Amino acid sequence: MSTLTHFDAQGQAHMVDVAAKPATHRVAVATGRIEMQPATLALIESGNAKKGDVLGIARIASIQAAKKTSDLIPLCHPLALTRVAVAFALAEGGQAPQVACTATVETVGPTGVEMEALTAVQVALLTIYDMCKAVDRGMRITDVHVLEKHGGKSGSYVATAG
């Protein structure tokens, strides 16, 4: 098992030095979902929520969050992102009506973008909650995780189903 990279030999937290790492094309994809009442999903689908276009605003919030990840997570490096794409899928089946969010983040640099993809998903889902909480305080954000990442020394990771 490898060691935690954000701690030095004395156990103190530090920002990992990536100066010697080569710049490579890096991609991370994360996903998550927010469960809600059927009427809330219908309101989002119709585009008639009191605060406006829920998914359009959540998409912009998600992109902004990816760009601000290093301001939120103390030991993340600030990165020049080359792409942030955010997609939503609405579903009425399963355990509960829900909106799923998938964020794909890319850069060319010495460190990965998993944290940026995870942050993008979380903020998109939080924005949906914020915009719809007046009609559904019981919404539940769940299953946020990295689906895949590519690039860098450690290579590719693809989550297994289940």
Side-chain angles (χ1 to χ4, degrees), residues 6 14 28 31 34 83 85 90 95 98 111 117 128 133 139 147 160-161:
H6 287 91
H14 72 104
T31 192
I34 184 167
R83 178 174 176 251
L90 286 66
Q95 292 179 323
Q98 61 187 266
T111 190
I128 292 169
K133 69 182 183 259
M139 290 176 286
L147 285 174
T160 57

Side-chain angles (χ1 to χ4, degrees), residues 36 40-42 44-46 55 88-93 97-100:
M36 61 196 60
T40 308
L41 183 65
I44 291 169
E45 269 185 307
S46 73
L55 298 182
F88 296 102
L90 286 66
E92 294 186 36
Q98 61 187 266
V99 176

Side-chain angles (χ1 to χ4, degrees), residues 39-57 90 131:
T40 308
L41 183 65
L43 189 63
I44 291 169
E45 269 185 307
S46 73
N48 294 325
K50 191 173 184 178
K51 290 186 176 182
D53 175 11
V54 173
L55 298 182
I57 293 168
L90 286 66
M131 294 189 71

Side-chain angles (χ1 to χ4, degrees), residues 27-32 100-104 114 117-118 121 143-150 156-162:
V27 180
V29 182
T31 192
C101 175
T102 302
T104 303
E114 297 96 303
L118 287 165
V121 168
D143 296 331
V144 176
H145 64 282
V146 173
L147 285 174
E148 59 186 270
K149 69 78 111 190
H150 305 282
S156 293
Y157 165 81
V158 177
T160 57

Side-chain angles (χ1 to χ4, degrees), residues 54-156:
V54 173
L55 298 182
I57 293 168
R59 178 175 288 106
I60 296 301
S62 177
I63 293 167
Q64 286 181 312
K67 296 189 307 183
K68 292 290 191 180
T69 299
S70 67
D71 291 337
L72 301 169
I73 311 296
L75 301 178
C76 281
H77 292 84
L79 301 176
L81 303 180
T82 58
R83 178 174 176 251
V84 179
V86 181
F88 296 102
L90 286 66
E92 294 186 36
Q95 292 179 323
Q98 61 187 266
V99 176
C101 175
T102 302
T104 303
V105 180
E106 298 186 41
T107 193
V108 175
T111 190
V113 287
E114 297 96 303
M115 294 306 299
E116 288 72 13
L118 287 165
T119 300
V121 168
Q122 289 280 30
V123 170
L125 298 175
L126 286 167
T127 300
I128 292 169
Y129 184 93
D130 179 55
M131 294 189 71
C132 298
K133 69 182 183 259
V135 297
D136 187 355
R137 294 215 184 261
M139 290 176 286
R140 185 172 158 231
I141 295 171
T142 186
D143 296 331
V144 176
H145 64 282
V146 173
L147 285 174
E148 59 186 270
K149 69 78 111 190
H150 305 282
K153 183 179 171 185
S154 64
S156 293

Side-chain angles (χ1 to χ4, degrees), residues 20-32:
K21 293 172 73 176
T24 62
H25 180 229
R26 313 239 184 182
V27 180
V29 182
T31 192

